[in-house]
Amino acid sequence: TTSHVERIVVPLDGSFTVTHRHPSGEEEMRLHGRASVFAGPTDVLYLPTGTTAEIRGRGRVAVTEAPTTERRPWRYMAASDIPIELRGR
């Protein structure tokens, strides 16, 4: 646990199961992932400040983080809900 830091778990390639623990309980989410970073969007998981997590699976995963003083609920975002933006055409 790191206080005042929020995170997003992003599969780069492969798929993962994330068990996260927070004050309201414990949840387990499956991130279906993708074959590579060039294979389109992927599922992601937002983890608020005060959350611990264990990531299991095969492949590569990025965990981004940012400082915050706000407490938001955790959130799973399916690949189908991730907007795609084309640039540099």
Side-chain angles (χ1 to χ4, degrees), residues 1-7 9 18-27 45-54 65 71-75:
T1 303
T2 304
S3 40
H4 307 299
V5 174
E6 60 188 358
R7 294 179 174 88
V9 180
V18 181
T19 303
H20 52 102
R21 295 165 195 86
H22 38 84
S24 60
E26 179 178 298
E27 302 285 339
L45 180 64
Y46 168 78
L47 300 173
T49 184
T51 302
T52 61
E54 177 183 332
E65 59 182 44
R71 175 85 174 147
R72 297 179 177 91
W74 69 271
R75 183 171 172 208

Side-chain angles (χ1 to χ4, degrees), residues 7-75:
R7 294 179 174 88
I8 297 179
V9 180
V10 182
L12 300 177
D13 62 65
S15 60
F16 302 88
T17 300
V18 181
T19 303
H20 52 102
R21 295 165 195 86
H22 38 84
S24 60
E26 179 178 298
E27 302 285 339
E28 186 171 281
M29 294 300 306
R30 176 80 172 155
L31 301 180
H32 299 283
R34 55 191 169 181
S36 78
V37 294
F38 302 106
T42 185
D43 304 332
V44 299
L45 180 64
Y46 168 78
L47 300 173
T49 184
T51 302
T52 61
E54 177 183 332
I55 302 170
R56 296 179 313 281
R58 296 188 66 111
R60 295 183 306 146
V61 63
V63 180
T64 65
E65 59 182 44
T68 186
T69 56
E70 295 182 36
R71 175 85 174 147
R72 297 179 177 91
W74 69 271
R75 183 171 172 208

